[in-house]
Amino acid sequence: MSDQPQDPQNPVVRAAQDGFHWEGVAPRRYKEEAAAPFRDVTRQVLFSDPRLHGELRYFEVAANGYSTLERHEHMHAVLVLRGAGRCLVGNEARALHLHDLVTVPPWTWHQFRAGKDEPLGFLCLVNAERDRPQLPSDDDLAAMRRDPILRDFLEGR
Ligand code: MN
C-alpha cells in the first residue's frame, strides 16, 4: 500500500468503461458557442492539469456528423481510436482509418467527418492555452470549393 495521499481530482488510474468512456470523465458539449457549425460531436477532456502544458481530449463524431471547419495558431495531434471517416487538412482531403495519425499545423483549415454508417472517435492532443478558432469567410469557402476534392468533402460527398 502506498502512503501517498490520493488526489481525488487526479486519480492515478481512470478505468475505461464501455462505449469509449472513462471513470470520472464527463462528456461535454463539443463547443460552447452555438455559432460554430457542426453536427453530432461529443467531447471528453481526458487529461488537463495546470502543471501540464497540453490537454488530451477524446472527440466522437456520430455517423454522418462533422466537426467545425476552422483554423487557429495552435496545433492538433490526432489519433483515430474508433471507427473511420475523413479529414480535410489544408488542401488535402483524406480517408481516416483506425489508429491513423493526423497532424494539423498552425493556421491550417481542418474538419473531421464520420463515415455514413460508423462514428469517428479520436484522441486530440492540444496546447492547454490556445487561441480562439477562426471560421472561414465566404471568400475562404469559395477558394476551397474551387478544388473539386475539397468541394466534395465540404458537401459531404
Ligand atoms: Mn481545431
Side-chain angles (χ1 to χ4, degrees):
M1 283 283 279
S2 163
D3 57 2
Q4 290 290 317
Q6 270 275 342
D7 175 357
Q9 295 304 111
N10 262 315
V12 173
V13 174
R14 293 182 190 272
Q17 299 173 331
D18 285 346
F20 291 82
H21 292 281
W22 291 267
E23 199 178 349
V25 178
R28 302 186 193 182
R29 274 195 294 195
Y30 167 53
K31 299 231 181 221
E32 300 307 327
E33 339 65 284
F38 62 89
R39 183 199 283 170
D40 293 337
V41 185
T42 60
R43 171 172 70 107
Q44 297 178 72
V45 178
L46 305 182
F47 293 97
S48 179
D49 185 302
R51 297 166 297 182
L52 187 63
H53 292 198
E55 286 184 352
L56 188 63
R57 300 93 51 88
Y58 176 73
F59 291 92
E60 196 165 295
V61 185
N64 280 312
Y66 50 84
S67 65
T68 303
L69 175 62
E70 61 179 29
R71 70 177 178 183
H72 35 65
E73 184 173 20
H74 61 271
M75 291 183 66
H76 295 310
V78 166
L79 186 154
V80 177
L81 205 57
R82 180 180 198 177
R86 292 184 290 159
C87 68
L88 180 157
V89 179
N91 54 18
E92 290 192 55
R94 297 281 295 270
L96 286 179
H97 302 103
L98 204 58
H99 303 157
D100 284 348
L101 293 169
V102 182
T103 301
V104 179
W107 295 117
T108 304
W109 295 115
H110 55 283
Q111 185 171 43
F112 293 86
R113 282 185 177 273
K116 302 275 178 230
D117 304 309
E118 59 186 335
L120 176 66
F122 55 88
L123 295 173
C124 177
L125 178 63
V126 71
N127 308 64
E129 283 195 27
R130 51 191 182 267
D131 59 313
R132 237 184 138 65
Q134 282 182 1
L135 301 181
S137 67
D138 290 345
D139 285 350
D140 293 326
L141 282 172
M144 280 184 253
R145 288 199 176 106
R146 281 196 278 278
D147 180 330
I149 291 170
L150 298 190
R151 186 179 61 227
D152 282 354
F153 180 96
L154 293 169
E155 292 173 8
R157 285 200 296 264

